Amino acid sequence: MGPMNWIDEVQWDTQGLVPAIAQERGTGDLLMLAWMNREALEKTAQLGRAVYFSRSRGRLWHKGEESGHVQTVHTIRLDCDRDVLLLEVTQHGHRPGIACHTGRHSCFFSVLQDGAWRAVDPVLKEPESIYSQRMRSHGSHDAPAPAPQDTLARLAAVIESRKPDQGGDPEKSYVARLLHQGPDAFLKKIGEEATEMVMAAKDVEHGADKSRVVRETADLWFHSMIALAHYGLAPADVLTELERRAGCSGIEEKSLRKALARSAEEAASP
């Protein structure tokens, strides 16, 4: 038997993955934790640039493919149990480099203080600016365009970072202001946006541009996502529900909801 390939010495988990921690060269700052499969590790070693495996997208993910904040990899270390990787990297794209999708230097920006997690590191660049710039110039970039569910997940993460208890400033952030004001504020906006979407659709019936329907629907979705975040929910929960409904007809779905409502009423009655 010949010598074992270096990649075979990694103790992959049951899904063929291994956690990889990125540490900044020079400062020693821990920037992020992601996952790699065999191909991602091979490409990272070959290119000298961080390539991870996205569990949510089910594909390889070149760090910086959407944000432009790539990582040059100088050293790859394997721990004593051979089940964790440590990458020594230079984080590009800003001074200091931005590794986190929230626009912060590191993903580890929350500190436990007085029984709560507090965001203690500043946002160096607004995520909306980072990703909108990349999307506008995506035609010249060799990375694939993000899937719609990835866009929703990324936007949800930005909304989450705007929560007042995560460091969101109501004086500087529209999302933080709505969340600070509470349900009455963002629920009112949802009602307004729903009405504007209906009006836009009505206008199309009279020859108006369909693009307004898209814009108003985007506003409606965005404010609905603020509500989801307030209640500890995410777009993935809605997508899961839609996937569940995809297997049955609308009539069956309506009947099921009526049956569930009756069951809940019966359970609540003495």
Side-chain angles (χ1 to χ4, degrees):
M1 180 181 296
M4 181 179 290
N5 188 312
W6 63 271
I7 204 165
D8 293 327
E9 297 184 47
V10 177
Q11 295 298 308
W12 307 96
D13 68 11
T14 56
Q15 294 179 310
L17 302 175
V18 65
I21 300 169
Q23 183 176 35
E24 188 172 45
R25 187 181 200 181
T27 67
D29 291 344
L30 296 179
L31 299 179
M32 56 179 286
L33 182 146
W35 296 86
M36 287 185 171
N37 61 4
R38 293 175 66 95
E39 185 180 3
L41 181 53
E42 287 175 339
K43 285 187 175 294
T44 297
Q46 176 187 0
L47 300 174
R49 174 174 163 178
V51 179
Y52 301 107
F53 181 81
S54 171
R55 294 178 297 175
S56 62
R57 287 174 271 191
R59 66 169 176 84
L60 294 188
W61 160 48
H62 292 247
K63 175 63 176 172
E65 68 181 30
E66 295 173 12
S67 66
H69 298 160
V70 302
Q71 290 174 347
T72 297
V73 178
H74 302 285
T75 306
I76 303 175
R77 294 177 180 267
L78 185 63
D79 80 325
C80 57
D81 291 325
R82 299 181 178 272
D83 58 2
V84 178
L85 297 171
L86 178 66
L87 311 182
E88 183 187 26
V89 307
T90 294
Q91 179 67 60
H92 301 283
H94 205 273
R95 293 292 183 271
I98 294 175
C100 184
H101 69 275
T102 65
R104 293 176 170 88
H105 177 50
S106 168
C107 293
F108 301 99
F109 58 81
S110 295
V111 174
L112 184 61
Q113 295 178 345
D114 301 322
W117 294 105
R118 308 292 183 188
V120 298
D121 295 341
V123 174
L124 302 176
K125 192 171 184 180
E126 291 298 321
E128 295 94 332
S129 173
I130 295 171
Y131 293 104
S132 63
Q133 284 182 340
R134 295 301 294 179
M135 289 176 72
R136 284 196 296 269
S137 62
H138 232 289
S140 61
H141 199 269
D142 59 0
Q149 62 267 31
D150 298 334
T151 301
L152 290 175
R154 188 170 63 249
L155 181 56
V158 172
I159 292 173
E160 189 71 21
S161 72
R162 295 293 188 272
K163 286 184 174 180
D165 62 359
Q166 293 294 319
D169 187 349
E171 297 298 322
K172 298 180 179 179
S173 167
Y174 172 72
V175 173
R177 183 162 65 251
L178 282 181
L179 290 171
H180 177 73
Q181 292 172 347
D184 285 348
F186 57 75
L187 293 178
K188 178 181 177 182
K189 285 298 298 181
I190 290 173
E192 292 174 356
E193 300 300 345
T195 299
E196 290 182 12
M197 188 272 179
V198 171
M199 293 173 63
K202 286 288 188 180
D203 288 343
V204 170
E205 296 298 320
H206 296 87
D209 187 354
K210 294 180 181 179
S211 63
R212 188 183 162 211
V213 176
V214 174
R215 294 194 298 272
E216 297 300 345
T217 301
D219 288 341
L220 176 58
W221 286 14
F222 176 73
H223 288 87
S224 297
M225 288 175 66
I226 294 175
L228 289 174
H230 175 80
Y231 296 112
L233 299 169
D237 297 307
V238 180
L239 293 175
T240 298
E241 174 62 13
L242 290 173
E243 181 65 26
R244 182 189 67 78
R245 296 184 185 186
C248 60
S249 71
I251 295 175
E252 292 172 338
E253 171 61 25
K254 188 174 181 179
S255 298
L256 176 60
R257 276 186 284 166
K258 287 182 177 180
L260 291 174
R262 285 196 300 269
S263 297
E265 290 175 358
E266 292 171 357
S269 62

